[in-house]
Amino acid sequence: MSNVHRYAVRTLFSNPFNRNLQLRSSIVFCSHPSRRFLSQTANKDKLIVFDTTLRDGEQSPGVNLVPEEKLEIARNLSALGVDIIEAGFPIASPADFEAVARIAKEIGPLMNGREKVGKPMIIAGLARASTKDIQRCHEAVSHAPLHRIHTFLATSDIHLQYKLKISREECIIRAAKAVEYARSLCEDVEFSTEDAGRSDRDFLCEVLAEVIRAGATTLNIPDTVGYTTPEEYGSLIKYLIQNTPGSDKVIWSTHCHDDLGLATANTLSGITNGARQVEVTINGIGERAGNTSLEEVIMAIQVHPSAFPVYHTINTPLLYRTSNLVSSLSGMVVQPNKAIVGTNAFLHESGIHQDGVLKHKQTYEIIRPEDVGVFNVNIVLGKLSGRNALRQRLVELGYGDLPDADFQKAFENFKLLADSKKRITDLDLLALMRDQMLTPALSRFELKSVQVVSSTHGVATATVKLFDSIKNEELTDAAIGRTGPIMAVFAAIQRLVERRIRLLQYEVRAVSEGMDALGKVAVKITEDEDSSDVDDATPVASDHIIDGQVRPRVDASGQTRLTKITYQGNGTDLDVIAASAKAYVSAINRLFEGEVGETQGLRRSSPAERQVNV
C-alpha cells in the first residue's frame, strides 16, 4: 500500500429524516498521492441515492421488464448500497403492482452488502396526486420495513394551462391534499414539482411551503425536460431552500434529464447548492435522452471529495456488474465511450498514453478500474481450474452470496465452456453468471439443439429441437432462410411455438477478445397480429402504429392496451448462431409468461400506460 495515502477525515453523518446529526471518524483512502485534496478536515452530509431505474429507466423506448427481471435488478441495487429504490408505478397495471409488492416483500428486508448504509433499502412507489393512485401505491410498498410514497404534480404554467387545465390556486390545493393523504398512510412522503425547471420560482416556493405544512419529508425539484444549465439549476435549488418556509425540515432532491447532455452537471450543481438526495438511474437510462447516471455522480464525488459537501456509501466495485445487468435486461447497450462503465473507459490506444500508463497508471487514469469493478487479473481460469479457484474469482466479481446449488450450476457451465475455450476471462464469467441468473427456473421452451446448412449462394436451412415443458415433449422442425442461417433458425422456432414473431432488434457482439470469444446476442421481439401463417418468417407491418398514430388494442383481460408489448432476450455461446437461438427462445419464453400473467389477472403495462414524467 505504498502508493496509498491515508487521510483521517471527520465525517458528518445525518439522519435523512429528522436531521439529527452524529459525528464519527472515518478513514478515506486516496489512490492519487499528488492530489492532496483530503488533507483537510471536513464536515459532510450523507448523500441519499434514490435510484429510479425500475420506474423512470423503464420508460426508455422499447424497455419492458418482467417482474423477475425487476427483482434481480432490485437485488443488485440493494447490494450496491442504494438508499432508496423507486420500484415502479403501481397503478399502471396489476403486473406492475405485483412487481412493486414483490420487491417490497423480498428485497425490502435485505441487508447483504449494506454494512456501510446500516439499514435496509427504502422501497418507494410513484403515484399521481390522486387518492386512488396514492392508496394503490401504499398497498404495494407497505410490505417493506422502510417504504415511501412519492407523489407529484406539474407546476409550470405550460403544464397547468395545456395539460392539467387548472389554475395555480387549484394546483396548490391539489398538491397539499395529495401529500396530506399520503402522510396519513406513510411517514415518509416525497413530493415532486413536475417541470420545476420551467416553473415560476416564487410560485414554486408557495407550493412547496404548503406541501411541507401538509407533511412532506422530501422535496424533489425535477428538470423534467432537461432544459436548465448547471448555473440555472444550482441557483434554483439555492433560491428554493432560502425562500421556502420550513425548508430546513425537509430533504431537498434533484432529478435531472439529459436532453442537453447536462444531467450529471446539473445534479452536481444541485448538491453544491444544498440538495442532499439525487434521483439517478444505472447507465443513465430513462425517458428520451435519459436521466442522470448514478455511476457518474458517485465517481465524481469520489474523485473530488473536497469539491462537494457530501459523502456516499455506494459499493463502487459493483458498478460495472450492475451496469452490465441493466444493459442486458433492458436491451439498451452501453456506448463504448460511456464514462465509468463503457468498454473503452479504461483502454488506451495512443502511443503516448500507453507509454505513460505503463510507466505510471495515474498519468492517464484518474480512477482505478478495480474501483468500479473492472479487473485485469493475471490468474487465468481454464479447464484444469478447480472449484476453489472459480469460487474465489466469483467472490471478487461480486457473487460472494451465491448459494451452493447455484454455484454448482455455475461450475458445470464453466467446465463446459472451458472444454472449448482455453482462457476464461472475467468478462466470460460475468456473461455466464448473467445468463444463469436471468434464466427462469421454469421456462416453457428449452433449446436442445440447432443444425444449420448454409452457403454464400443458396438458401440456408435450419433444424431446431425444443423441449416444451407444458406438453412434456421434444419438438423438432425445420425452415429455410432466404437471407441466411439466422433467419432460418428464427423461422424454425416460430413454427415450433406456433406464433408469428416480429423481430424489432438484433445485436451480436463479442464478450471478450480472440477467435474463441463468447458471442453475446440480444434480441427484441413483439408478436404480430396475423398468426395465420406461421410458416412465413417475413416480418409484417405493425397494425397498431400507422403514420405515427397509436391505435388501441383490447387484450385477453378485456382492457384496452395502447401499444404492443416488447420482449427482450439474451443468449451467450461460442457459436453465434446458437447464441441467437438462445436469445430468441428466451424472448419468446417471456412473451408466453406475459400471456400467462394476463390470464391470471396480472396484465403487464405497455410503455404508453407507464408514461409519467417527473
Side-chain angles (χ1 to χ4, degrees):
M1 299 183 66
S2 59
N3 291 330
V4 179
H5 285 216
R6 302 181 180 183
Y7 299 90
V9 178
R10 289 185 59 79
T11 308
L12 191 62
F13 286 72
S14 61
N15 183 303
F17 304 116
N18 60 24
R19 306 294 287 175
N20 292 329
L21 305 180
Q22 179 182 4
L23 283 172
R24 95 175 180 192
S25 296
S26 65
I27 300 297
V28 179
F29 296 89
C30 174
S31 59
H32 306 292
S34 61
R35 304 179 65 184
R36 300 182 179 276
F37 43 60
L38 291 178
S39 59
Q40 297 181 352
T41 298
N43 289 333
K44 294 178 179 289
D45 290 330
K46 163 79 165 68
L47 180 67
I48 303 168
V49 178
F50 179 113
D51 186 278
T52 183
T53 300
L54 295 181
R55 202 278 303 169
D56 207 335
E58 201 193 9
Q59 287 184 203
S60 302
V63 176
N64 204 332
L65 303 170
V66 300
E68 288 72 20
E69 293 169 338
K70 292 182 179 182
L71 281 167
E72 188 60 28
I73 291 175
R75 185 174 289 105
N76 275 263
L77 291 174
S78 177
L80 184 63
V82 164
D83 298 287
I84 306 163
I85 180 177
E86 190 167 48
F89 185 38
I91 198 70
S93 74
D96 286 78
F97 174 88
E98 183 64 21
V100 175
R102 285 187 62 186
I103 290 172
K105 295 174 185 176
E106 299 178 31
I107 309 300
L110 297 182
M111 281 297 296
N112 180 52
R114 303 187 60 80
E115 292 76 16
K116 289 191 294 185
V117 184
K119 61 181 179 181
M121 188 165 59
I122 298 172
I123 309 300
L126 185 68
R128 292 167 296 193
S130 71
T131 300
K132 185 178 180 180
D133 273 41
I134 293 170
Q135 182 178 9
R136 189 67 167 163
C137 177
H138 179 256
E139 290 172 356
V141 302
S142 60
H143 301 286
L146 301 175
H147 51 273
R148 169 181 294 189
I149 296 175
H150 179 195
T151 187
F152 70 98
L153 190 64
T155 52
S156 66
D157 288 334
I158 190 171
H159 277 253
L160 295 179
Q161 179 180 352
Y162 294 104
K163 187 180 76 172
L164 299 178
K165 302 184 186 304
I166 61 175
S167 64
R168 287 187 172 187
E169 291 72 21
E170 177 62 25
C171 174
I172 294 175
I173 294 171
R174 190 178 294 186
K177 284 185 176 180
V179 171
E180 184 178 16
Y181 178 64
R183 188 59 192 265
S184 71
L185 302 174
C186 176
E187 293 185 357
D188 188 358
V189 177
E190 176 175 337
F191 179 77
S192 290
T193 51
E194 182 188 355
D195 203 23
R198 296 188 295 175
S199 299
D200 179 75
R201 292 187 175 190
D202 292 329
F203 176 59
L204 278 176
C205 291
E206 291 183 53
V207 176
L208 296 171
E210 287 300 319
V211 297
I212 290 174
R213 280 191 279 270
T217 54
T218 298
L219 299 182
N220 184 41
I221 312 301
D223 182 18
T224 303
V225 292
Y227 175 76
T228 62
T229 65
E231 292 77 12
E232 290 172 334
Y233 189 75
S235 68
L236 173 62
I237 296 291
K238 185 175 182 179
Y239 184 88
L240 295 178
I241 293 176
Q242 291 178 342
N243 294 279
T244 301
S247 64
D248 59 324
K249 300 176 183 178
V250 297
I251 295 293
W252 291 82
S253 173
T254 68
H255 181 113
C256 300
H257 282 260
D258 207 34
D259 296 71
L260 295 176
L262 297 173
T264 297
N266 286 347
T267 297
L268 294 173
S269 180
I271 294 172
T272 302
N273 286 278
R276 292 297 176 264
Q277 175 180 291
V278 291
E279 300 200 355
V280 292
T281 63
I282 298 296
N283 299 334
I285 67 172
E287 188 74 35
R288 302 182 313 279
N291 289 53
T292 303
S293 168
L294 180 151
E295 58 273 10
E296 291 176 12
V297 171
I298 292 303
M299 294 312 296
I301 293 171
Q302 186 154 313
V303 171
H304 295 283
S306 64
F308 303 100
V310 295
Y311 70 93
H312 71 81
T313 53
I314 294 295
N315 298 320
T316 60
L318 296 182
L319 284 173
Y320 186 72
R321 164 185 153 184
T322 308
S323 168
N324 272 267
L325 175 71
V326 171
S327 176
S328 294
L329 293 181
S330 66
M332 298 193 68
V333 178
V334 177
Q335 65 192 59
N337 63 331
K338 168 75 170 67
I340 314 301
V341 293
T343 55
N344 292 354
F346 299 101
L347 298 181
H348 306 275
E349 187 165 322
S350 165
I352 296 175
H353 287 212
Q354 289 175 343
D355 179 65
V357 169
L358 289 173
K359 291 175 179 176
H360 199 292
K361 286 188 176 182
Q362 292 167 16
T363 54
Y364 288 102
E365 286 185 358
I366 62 170
I367 300 170
R368 297 185 306 171
E370 55 267 31
D371 287 343
V372 296
V374 178
F375 296 94
N376 285 319
V377 181
N378 293 326
I379 299 177
V380 178
L381 297 176
K383 66 179 182 179
L384 298 181
S385 301
R387 296 173 183 271
N388 290 337
L390 177 62
R391 185 181 288 276
Q392 179 60 32
R393 196 72 208 102
L394 291 178
V395 169
E396 293 169 355
L397 291 174
Y399 290 97
D401 57 342
L402 208 60
D404 289 341
D406 289 341
F407 173 75
Q408 178 60 31
K409 185 176 181 181
F411 184 71
E412 292 171 0
N413 292 335
F414 162 75
K415 283 296 188 180
L416 287 174
L417 178 60
D419 284 338
S420 304
K421 193 174 191 294
K422 185 176 180 180
R423 296 162 58 91
I424 310 297
T425 68
D426 285 349
L427 293 174
D428 295 326
L429 291 179
L430 287 172
L432 287 177
M433 293 306 301
R434 188 164 55 241
D435 277 2
Q436 176 177 322
M437 302 302 289
L438 301 181
T439 300
L442 296 174
S443 297
R444 175 165 181 179
F445 298 106
E446 178 186 355
L447 180 68
K448 304 301 288 186
S449 67
V450 177
Q451 182 177 341
V452 172
V453 177
S454 182
S455 67
T456 54
H457 303 288
V459 176
T461 61
T463 303
V464 178
K465 182 183 293 184
L466 299 180
F467 177 76
D468 186 338
S469 62
I470 300 297
K471 297 180 180 179
N472 194 29
E473 64 175 308
E474 284 193 349
L475 310 174
T476 304
D477 210 332
I480 63 172
R482 301 185 186 280
T483 60
I486 302 298
M487 180 181 179
V489 170
F490 288 178
I493 293 173
Q494 287 191 48
R495 290 169 60 89
L496 289 171
V497 303
E498 298 180 344
R499 294 297 174 90
R500 192 172 184 182
I501 306 298
R502 180 178 173 86
L503 181 65
L504 302 176
Q505 182 176 316
Y506 175 85
E507 178 188 329
V508 59
R509 63 187 178 93
V511 170
S512 55
E513 299 177 349
M515 293 291 290
D516 61 349
L518 277 173
K520 177 186 174 184
V521 173
V523 301
K524 187 175 294 182
I525 66 168
T526 190
E527 186 177 11
D528 279 324
E529 289 298 292
D530 182 11
S531 297
S532 59
D533 183 9
V534 297
D535 292 336
D536 185 2
T538 304
V540 298
S542 169
D543 293 324
H544 301 301
I545 302 178
I546 299 178
D547 296 330
Q549 300 299 314
V550 179
R551 290 187 177 183
R553 167 194 174 194
V554 178
D555 63 20
S557 63
Q559 294 180 283
T560 299
R561 176 173 297 159
L562 298 180
T563 59
K564 288 184 178 182
I565 300 290
T566 60
Y567 302 88
Q568 286 85 230
N570 295 277
T572 304
D573 200 282
L574 289 169
D575 183 339
V576 294
I577 294 179
S580 300
K582 289 179 179 179
Y584 203 60
V585 171
S586 173
I588 289 174
N589 277 325
R590 283 166 168 75
L591 185 153
F592 275 85
E593 289 166 12
E595 291 181 349
V596 171
E598 285 188 4
T599 62
Q600 297 174 347
L602 297 177
R603 185 181 65 81
R604 294 175 62 196
S605 63
S606 71
E609 291 168 316
R610 290 196 310 275
Q611 193 73 18
V612 284
N613 288 319
V614 175

